[in-house]
Amino acid sequence: MSLAFLSKPIGGSKNKDSGDVSGPSGDNKRPSKPGQLRGDGGNGVVGGSPRVDLMPPEIRVKRAQLQFRRKLRLGLVAVFLIVVVACGAIWATGSVTQAALLAAQSQRQQLVAQQGKYADVTTTKGSIALVQAGQKVGDSTEIDWQAYLTKLQGTLPAGVVLTAVTIDSATPLKVYSPATVPLQGDRIATLTFTATSAILPSIPDWLDGLATLPGFADATPGDVSLADAGGYTATVTMHINTQAFANRFVKKAASTSNTDSSASTGGN
């Protein structure tokens, strides 16, 4: 038996000692870096610490649940903080509003106290306003009959004299009855007068003169008779409309207003 194999190096040929590794095609390739496997493009790492995931799935589910609970707690805390901030804002707004209300009430009390100092003036003004309102109501149906009859006498022909006058007019408490005869105009008073004349009066001339009076609505001639003492007596019924109203206080108020406006304009 030959014992020549004992003289050979242990561990393979020279190529193996030099670190060459034969590939599938018989070519010898040397790894570019220690710890890399041949034929894997240098991606495999040899020598890393081995790891094995021995954790049960229940623990992973438990951890996921714990994370979800943490998120819920954070959400609840955030909602609580928002509610606290909102409540604080509402409380601050209410405090400001309450303070404004108290200030307004205090100002109102001061104004009432100041008004109490001038209570007499307020009472006087109220009395004046009441009197003015009464004047307007009383003046609403007033006719200056003295001036009106004077104008009526002026429309009569020369030598004609008024001998009797009957007046029926509206009052502040009584509305004058409307016309009941067709073609008669609206009226607020009826004036019936009797006049005497030495000669036979011309009724058309009388009616033409009466038409010039303010507030004339219509006129109806009555009987013409011969008086016992001589002369003629005629009766006329005349209706008067709102144009005959005196409106004394309305004109007075208008003149006062015009005077005040003129004074203010002159002052400017």
Side-chain angles (χ1 to χ4, degrees), residues 100-120:
L101 177 60
L102 294 176
Q105 291 177 348
S106 176
Q107 185 178 7
R108 177 180 175 276
Q109 292 176 356
Q110 293 177 0
L111 292 176
V112 171
Q114 292 179 359
Q115 287 179 352
K117 298 179 181 178
Y118 304 98
D120 296 338

Side-chain angles (χ1 to χ4, degrees), residues 52-158:
V52 178
D53 189 2
L54 300 179
M55 185 178 296
E58 293 80 0
I59 297 179
R60 295 182 180 276
V61 174
K62 188 67 173 179
R63 288 182 176 178
Q65 292 177 352
L66 291 176
Q67 291 179 356
F68 182 71
R69 291 177 182 175
R70 292 193 192 98
K71 293 180 180 179
L72 285 179
R73 294 190 185 96
L74 292 176
L76 291 175
V77 172
V79 171
F80 175 75
L81 293 176
I82 293 173
V83 171
V84 170
V85 172
C87 292
I90 293 173
W91 178 82
T93 304
S95 300
V96 173
T97 305
Q98 185 67 23
L101 177 60
L102 294 176
Q105 291 177 348
S106 176
Q107 185 178 7
R108 177 180 175 276
Q109 292 176 356
Q110 293 177 0
L111 292 176
V112 171
Q114 292 179 359
Q115 287 179 352
K117 298 179 181 178
Y118 304 98
D120 296 338
V121 177
T122 304
T123 304
T124 304
K125 290 178 64 177
S127 301
I128 293 174
L130 183 61
V131 171
Q132 291 177 347
Q135 289 176 344
K136 291 181 180 179
V137 172
D139 187 44
S140 62
T141 58
E142 181 185 11
I143 299 175
D144 189 355
W145 289 113
Q146 183 177 0
Y148 200 86
L149 294 177
T150 302
K151 293 178 181 179
L152 175 61
Q153 179 65 52
T155 62
L156 298 178

Side-chain angles (χ1 to χ4, degrees), residues 6 29 31 61 74 101 132 167 196 210 216 224 238 240 243:
L6 297 175
K29 294 182 180 180
V61 174
L74 292 176
L101 177 60
Q132 291 177 347
I167 299 173
T196 59
L210 294 176
F216 175 83
V224 178
M238 185 178 70
I240 302 172
Q243 297 298 323

